[in-house]
PDB file of all heavy atoms in Angstrom:
ATOM      1  N   LYS A   2       9.276 -17.445  16.851  1.00 66.00           N
ATOM      2  CA  LYS A   2       9.497 -16.359  17.788  1.00 66.00           C
ATOM      3  C   LYS A   2       9.118 -16.809  19.192  1.00 66.00           C
ATOM      4  O   LYS A   2       8.130 -17.499  19.374  1.00 66.00           O
ATOM      5  CB  LYS A   2       8.654 -15.144  17.413  1.00 66.00           C
ATOM      6  CG  LYS A   2       8.976 -14.635  16.027  1.00 66.00           C
ATOM      7  CD  LYS A   2       8.495 -13.239  15.849  1.00 66.00           C
ATOM      8  CE  LYS A   2       8.915 -12.777  14.465  1.00 66.00           C
ATOM      9  NZ  LYS A   2       9.183 -11.394  14.389  1.00 66.00           N
ATOM     10  N   LYS A   3       9.901 -16.394  20.178  1.00 65.00           N
ATOM     11  CA  LYS A   3       9.576 -16.686  21.574  1.00 65.00           C
ATOM     12  C   LYS A   3       8.796 -15.516  22.137  1.00 65.00           C
ATOM     13  O   LYS A   3       9.126 -14.368  21.886  1.00 65.00           O
ATOM     14  CB  LYS A   3      10.847 -16.891  22.399  1.00 65.00           C
ATOM     15  CG  LYS A   3      11.568 -18.165  22.076  1.00 65.00           C
ATOM     16  CD  LYS A   3      12.743 -18.366  22.997  1.00 65.00           C
ATOM     17  CE  LYS A   3      13.460 -19.647  22.618  1.00 65.00           C
ATOM     18  NZ  LYS A   3      14.643 -19.883  23.425  1.00 65.00           N
ATOM     19  N   ILE A   9      -3.572 -10.651  31.955  1.00 66.00           N
ATOM     20  CA  ILE A   9      -3.959 -11.265  33.229  1.00 66.00           C
ATOM     21  C   ILE A   9      -4.493 -12.686  33.064  1.00 66.00           C
ATOM     22  O   ILE A   9      -4.131 -13.582  33.817  1.00 66.00           O
ATOM     23  CB  ILE A   9      -4.995 -10.384  33.951  1.00 66.00           C
ATOM     24  CG1 ILE A   9      -4.324  -9.082  34.365  1.00 66.00           C
ATOM     25  CG2 ILE A   9      -5.575 -11.087  35.160  1.00 66.00           C
ATOM     26  CD1 ILE A   9      -5.263  -8.037  34.892  1.00 66.00           C
ATOM     27  N   SER A  10      -5.335 -12.917  32.068  1.00 68.00           N
ATOM     28  CA  SER A  10      -5.961 -14.234  31.946  1.00 68.00           C
ATOM     29  C   SER A  10      -5.186 -15.197  31.065  1.00 68.00           C
ATOM     30  O   SER A  10      -5.595 -16.332  30.892  1.00 68.00           O
ATOM     31  CB  SER A  10      -7.389 -14.092  31.416  1.00 68.00           C
ATOM     32  OG  SER A  10      -7.372 -13.544  30.120  1.00 68.00           O
ATOM     33  N   GLU A  13      -6.531 -17.796  27.196  1.00 76.00           N
ATOM     34  CA  GLU A  13      -7.642 -18.693  27.500  1.00 76.00           C
ATOM     35  C   GLU A  13      -8.945 -18.104  26.979  1.00 76.00           C
ATOM     36  O   GLU A  13      -9.086 -16.902  26.848  1.00 76.00           O
ATOM     37  CB  GLU A  13      -7.726 -18.916  29.010  1.00 76.00           C
ATOM     38  CG  GLU A  13      -6.454 -19.544  29.545  1.00 76.00           C
ATOM     39  CD  GLU A  13      -6.518 -19.808  31.030  1.00 76.00           C
ATOM     40  OE1 GLU A  13      -7.576 -19.626  31.635  1.00 76.00           O
ATOM     41  OE2 GLU A  13      -5.484 -20.201  31.576  1.00 76.00           O
ATOM     42  N   PRO A  16      -9.546 -14.495  24.800  1.00 86.00           N
ATOM     43  CA  PRO A  16      -8.299 -14.120  24.125  1.00 86.00           C
ATOM     44  C   PRO A  16      -7.828 -15.204  23.150  1.00 86.00           C
ATOM     45  O   PRO A  16      -7.314 -14.897  22.076  1.00 86.00           O
ATOM     46  CB  PRO A  16      -7.293 -13.939  25.266  1.00 86.00           C
ATOM     47  CG  PRO A  16      -8.112 -13.700  26.477  1.00 86.00           C
ATOM     48  CD  PRO A  16      -9.397 -14.445  26.261  1.00 86.00           C
ATOM     49  N   MET A  19      -9.910 -14.996  19.968  1.00 90.00           N
ATOM     50  CA  MET A  19      -9.499 -13.854  19.148  1.00 90.00           C
ATOM     51  C   MET A  19      -8.167 -14.136  18.456  1.00 90.00           C
ATOM     52  O   MET A  19      -7.970 -13.768  17.302  1.00 90.00           O
ATOM     53  CB  MET A  19      -9.435 -12.598  20.010  1.00 90.00           C
ATOM     54  CG  MET A  19     -10.824 -12.180  20.485  1.00 90.00           C
ATOM     55  SD  MET A  19     -10.809 -10.869  21.704  1.00 90.00           S
ATOM     56  CE  MET A  19     -10.027  -9.568  20.788  1.00 90.00           C
ATOM     57  N   GLN A  22      -8.832 -16.421  15.552  1.00 94.00           N
ATOM     58  CA  GLN A  22      -9.439 -15.669  14.461  1.00 94.00           C
ATOM     59  C   GLN A  22      -8.351 -14.985  13.629  1.00 94.00           C
ATOM     60  O   GLN A  22      -8.383 -15.014  12.407  1.00 94.00           O
ATOM     61  CB  GLN A  22     -10.403 -14.641  15.045  1.00 94.00           C
ATOM     62  CG  GLN A  22     -11.387 -14.065  14.078  1.00 94.00           C
ATOM     63  CD  GLN A  22     -12.434 -13.237  14.804  1.00 94.00           C
ATOM     64  OE1 GLN A  22     -12.120 -12.508  15.751  1.00 94.00           O
ATOM     65  NE2 GLN A  22     -13.666 -13.344  14.366  1.00 94.00           N
ATOM     66  N   ASN A  26      -6.579 -16.147   9.499  1.00 96.00           N
ATOM     67  CA  ASN A  26      -6.525 -15.281   8.320  1.00 96.00           C
ATOM     68  C   ASN A  26      -5.349 -15.619   7.413  1.00 96.00           C
ATOM     69  O   ASN A  26      -5.253 -15.082   6.321  1.00 96.00           O
ATOM     70  CB  ASN A  26      -6.418 -13.807   8.737  1.00 96.00           C
ATOM     71  CG  ASN A  26      -7.700 -13.297   9.334  1.00 96.00           C
ATOM     72  OD1 ASN A  26      -8.786 -13.735   8.982  1.00 96.00           O
ATOM     73  ND2 ASN A  26      -7.582 -12.357  10.259  1.00 96.00           N
ATOM     74  N   ASN A  30       0.564 -22.650   8.169  1.00 97.00           N
ATOM     75  CA  ASN A  30       0.279 -23.405   9.383  1.00 97.00           C
ATOM     76  C   ASN A  30       0.890 -22.619  10.535  1.00 97.00           C
ATOM     77  O   ASN A  30       2.022 -22.156  10.448  1.00 97.00           O
ATOM     78  CB  ASN A  30       0.909 -24.796   9.319  1.00 97.00           C
ATOM     79  CG  ASN A  30       0.243 -25.668   8.281  1.00 97.00           C
ATOM     80  OD1 ASN A  30      -0.972 -25.671   8.158  1.00 97.00           O
ATOM     81  ND2 ASN A  30       1.040 -26.381   7.525  1.00 97.00           N
ATOM     82  N   VAL A  31       0.132 -22.445  11.594  1.00 96.00           N
ATOM     83  CA  VAL A  31       0.610 -21.686  12.749  1.00 96.00           C
ATOM     84  C   VAL A  31       0.496 -22.593  13.978  1.00 96.00           C
ATOM     85  O   VAL A  31      -0.538 -23.211  14.214  1.00 96.00           O
ATOM     86  CB  VAL A  31      -0.215 -20.391  12.963  1.00 96.00           C
ATOM     87  CG1 VAL A  31       0.335 -19.593  14.137  1.00 96.00           C
ATOM     88  CG2 VAL A  31      -0.237 -19.542  11.692  1.00 96.00           C
ATOM     89  N   TRP A  32       1.588 -22.650  14.738  1.00 96.00           N
ATOM     90  CA  TRP A  32       1.664 -23.510  15.918  1.00 96.00           C
ATOM     91  C   TRP A  32       2.119 -22.709  17.117  1.00 96.00           C
ATOM     92  O   TRP A  32       2.862 -21.741  16.985  1.00 96.00           O
ATOM     93  CB  TRP A  32       2.668 -24.642  15.684  1.00 96.00           C
ATOM     94  CG  TRP A  32       2.348 -25.474  14.493  1.00 96.00           C
ATOM     95  CD1 TRP A  32       2.789 -25.277  13.215  1.00 96.00           C
ATOM     96  CD2 TRP A  32       1.495 -26.614  14.447  1.00 96.00           C
ATOM     97  NE1 TRP A  32       2.255 -26.237  12.382  1.00 96.00           N
ATOM     98  CE2 TRP A  32       1.458 -27.063  13.113  1.00 96.00           C
ATOM     99  CE3 TRP A  32       0.758 -27.296  15.406  1.00 96.00           C
ATOM    100  CZ2 TRP A  32       0.723 -28.166  12.720  1.00 96.00           C
ATOM    101  CZ3 TRP A  32       0.025 -28.393  15.015  1.00 96.00           C
ATOM    102  CH2 TRP A  32       0.014 -28.820  13.681  1.00 96.00           C
ATOM    103  N   ILE A  33       1.696 -23.133  18.285  1.00 93.00           N
ATOM    104  CA  ILE A  33       2.219 -22.582  19.528  1.00 93.00           C
ATOM    105  C   ILE A  33       2.796 -23.749  20.317  1.00 93.00           C
ATOM    106  O   ILE A  33       2.170 -24.800  20.444  1.00 93.00           O
ATOM    107  CB  ILE A  33       1.133 -21.865  20.349  1.00 93.00           C
ATOM    108  CG1 ILE A  33       0.741 -20.564  19.642  1.00 93.00           C
ATOM    109  CG2 ILE A  33       1.635 -21.577  21.761  1.00 93.00           C
ATOM    110  CD1 ILE A  33      -0.195 -19.674  20.406  1.00 93.00           C
ATOM    111  N   GLY A  36       6.715 -25.549  26.408  1.00 91.00           N
ATOM    112  CA  GLY A  36       7.452 -26.683  26.961  1.00 91.00           C
ATOM    113  C   GLY A  36       7.624 -27.753  25.899  1.00 91.00           C
ATOM    114  O   GLY A  36       8.063 -27.485  24.799  1.00 91.00           O
ATOM    115  N   GLU A  37       7.221 -28.954  26.227  1.00 94.00           N
ATOM    116  CA  GLU A  37       7.354 -30.084  25.306  1.00 94.00           C
ATOM    117  C   GLU A  37       6.127 -30.271  24.423  1.00 94.00           C
ATOM    118  O   GLU A  37       6.088 -31.149  23.582  1.00 94.00           O
ATOM    119  CB  GLU A  37       7.594 -31.379  26.105  1.00 94.00           C
ATOM    120  CG  GLU A  37       8.852 -31.366  26.940  1.00 94.00           C
ATOM    121  CD  GLU A  37      10.103 -31.324  26.091  1.00 94.00           C
ATOM    122  OE1 GLU A  37      10.155 -32.051  25.075  1.00 94.00           O
ATOM    123  OE2 GLU A  37      11.019 -30.558  26.432  1.00 94.00           O
ATOM    124  N   LEU A  45      -9.094 -24.066  18.972  1.00 93.00           N
ATOM    125  CA  LEU A  45      -9.393 -23.641  20.339  1.00 93.00           C
ATOM    126  C   LEU A  45      -9.038 -24.726  21.349  1.00 93.00           C
ATOM    127  O   LEU A  45      -8.377 -24.463  22.345  1.00 93.00           O
ATOM    128  CB  LEU A  45     -10.868 -23.247  20.473  1.00 93.00           C
ATOM    129  CG  LEU A  45     -11.278 -22.705  21.840  1.00 93.00           C
ATOM    130  CD1 LEU A  45     -10.476 -21.466  22.201  1.00 93.00           C
ATOM    131  CD2 LEU A  45     -12.762 -22.395  21.864  1.00 93.00           C
ATOM    132  N   ILE A  53      -2.034 -21.999  28.731  1.00 89.00           N
ATOM    133  CA  ILE A  53      -1.159 -20.829  28.648  1.00 89.00           C
ATOM    134  C   ILE A  53      -1.706 -19.722  29.544  1.00 89.00           C
ATOM    135  O   ILE A  53      -2.720 -19.111  29.247  1.00 89.00           O
ATOM    136  CB  ILE A  53      -1.043 -20.341  27.191  1.00 89.00           C
ATOM    137  CG1 ILE A  53      -0.462 -21.453  26.322  1.00 89.00           C
ATOM    138  CG2 ILE A  53      -0.175 -19.086  27.121  1.00 89.00           C
ATOM    139  CD1 ILE A  53      -0.526 -21.180  24.843  1.00 89.00           C
ATOM    140  N   SER A  57       3.458 -17.278  30.965  1.00 86.00           N
ATOM    141  CA  SER A  57       3.873 -18.483  30.224  1.00 86.00           C
ATOM    142  C   SER A  57       4.836 -18.107  29.109  1.00 86.00           C
ATOM    143  O   SER A  57       4.660 -17.107  28.431  1.00 86.00           O
ATOM    144  CB  SER A  57       2.655 -19.176  29.598  1.00 86.00           C
ATOM    145  OG  SER A  57       1.831 -19.734  30.575  1.00 86.00           O
ATOM    146  N   GLU A  64       4.616 -21.738   9.307  1.00 95.00           N
ATOM    147  CA  GLU A  64       5.253 -22.366   8.148  1.00 95.00           C
ATOM    148  C   GLU A  64       4.310 -22.236   6.959  1.00 95.00           C
ATOM    149  O   GLU A  64       3.177 -22.705   7.016  1.00 95.00           O
ATOM    150  CB  GLU A  64       5.516 -23.847   8.419  1.00 95.00           C
ATOM    151  CG  GLU A  64       6.418 -24.087   9.605  1.00 95.00           C
ATOM    152  CD  GLU A  64       6.452 -25.552  10.029  1.00 95.00           C
ATOM    153  OE1 GLU A  64       5.573 -26.333   9.622  1.00 95.00           O
ATOM    154  OE2 GLU A  64       7.358 -25.890  10.786  1.00 95.00           O
ATOM    155  N   GLU A  66       3.454 -19.863   2.971  1.00 96.00           N
ATOM    156  CA  GLU A  66       3.743 -18.763   2.064  1.00 96.00           C
ATOM    157  C   GLU A  66       3.655 -17.378   2.704  1.00 96.00           C
ATOM    158  O   GLU A  66       4.326 -16.456   2.261  1.00 96.00           O
ATOM    159  CB  GLU A  66       2.839 -18.835   0.838  1.00 96.00           C
ATOM    160  CG  GLU A  66       1.362 -18.727   1.128  1.00 96.00           C
ATOM    161  CD  GLU A  66       0.501 -18.939  -0.098  1.00 96.00           C
ATOM    162  OE1 GLU A  66       0.356 -20.103  -0.516  1.00 96.00           O
ATOM    163  OE2 GLU A  66       0.010 -17.943  -0.644  1.00 96.00           O
ATOM    164  N   GLU A  68       4.192 -16.804   6.095  1.00 94.00           N
ATOM    165  CA  GLU A  68       4.643 -17.026   7.469  1.00 94.00           C
ATOM    166  C   GLU A  68       5.223 -15.777   8.121  1.00 94.00           C
ATOM    167  O   GLU A  68       4.970 -15.527   9.300  1.00 94.00           O
ATOM    168  CB  GLU A  68       5.641 -18.182   7.559  1.00 94.00           C
ATOM    169  CG  GLU A  68       6.910 -17.964   6.791  1.00 94.00           C
ATOM    170  CD  GLU A  68       7.790 -19.206   6.747  1.00 94.00           C
ATOM    171  OE1 GLU A  68       7.310 -20.305   6.417  1.00 94.00           O
ATOM    172  OE2 GLU A  68       8.985 -19.058   7.072  1.00 94.00           O
ATOM    173  N   ALA A  71       2.364 -13.517   9.079  1.00 95.00           N
ATOM    174  CA  ALA A  71       1.618 -14.143  10.172  1.00 95.00           C
ATOM    175  C   ALA A  71       2.364 -13.976  11.497  1.00 95.00           C
ATOM    176  O   ALA A  71       1.770 -13.575  12.502  1.00 95.00           O
ATOM    177  CB  ALA A  71       1.378 -15.622   9.878  1.00 95.00           C
ATOM    178  N   LEU A  75       0.808 -11.789  14.601  1.00 92.00           N
ATOM    179  CA  LEU A  75       0.464 -12.553  15.800  1.00 92.00           C
ATOM    180  C   LEU A  75       1.376 -12.196  16.973  1.00 92.00           C
ATOM    181  O   LEU A  75       0.936 -12.124  18.115  1.00 92.00           O
ATOM    182  CB  LEU A  75       0.494 -14.047  15.497  1.00 92.00           C
ATOM    183  CG  LEU A  75      -0.545 -14.492  14.458  1.00 92.00           C
ATOM    184  CD1 LEU A  75      -0.322 -15.945  14.071  1.00 92.00           C
ATOM    185  CD2 LEU A  75      -1.964 -14.261  14.946  1.00 92.00           C
ATOM    186  N   ASN A  77       2.760  -9.226  17.421  1.00 87.00           N
ATOM    187  CA  ASN A  77       2.292  -7.917  17.887  1.00 87.00           C
ATOM    188  C   ASN A  77       1.053  -8.058  18.751  1.00 87.00           C
ATOM    189  O   ASN A  77       0.898  -7.362  19.751  1.00 87.00           O
ATOM    190  CB  ASN A  77       2.011  -6.985  16.700  1.00 87.00           C
ATOM    191  CG  ASN A  77       3.284  -6.519  16.040  1.00 87.00           C
ATOM    192  OD1 ASN A  77       4.348  -6.507  16.650  1.00 87.00           O
ATOM    193  ND2 ASN A  77       3.193  -6.140  14.782  1.00 87.00           N
ATOM    194  N   GLU A  84      -5.021  -7.265  23.657  1.00 57.00           N
ATOM    195  CA  GLU A  84      -6.107  -6.296  23.715  1.00 57.00           C
ATOM    196  C   GLU A  84      -7.027  -6.465  22.524  1.00 57.00           C
ATOM    197  O   GLU A  84      -6.586  -6.745  21.421  1.00 57.00           O
ATOM    198  CB  GLU A  84      -5.542  -4.878  23.736  1.00 57.00           C
ATOM    199  CG  GLU A  84      -4.718  -4.597  24.966  1.00 57.00           C
ATOM    200  CD  GLU A  84      -4.009  -3.260  24.883  1.00 57.00           C
ATOM    201  OE1 GLU A  84      -4.278  -2.499  23.929  1.00 57.00           O
ATOM    202  OE2 GLU A  84      -3.200  -2.992  25.762  1.00 57.00           O
TER     203      GLU A  84
END
Side-chain angles (χ1 to χ4, degrees):
K2 301 198 177 212
K3 289 185 181 177
I9 293 171
S10 63
E13 300 181 7
M19 293 171 61
Q22 197 171 40
N26 289 329
N30 292 318
V31 182
W32 303 91
I33 289 187
E37 299 294 317
L45 183 59
I53 300 170
S57 291
E64 300 169 344
E66 61 186 76
E68 62 188 50
L75 297 172
N77 288 337
E84 296 172 8

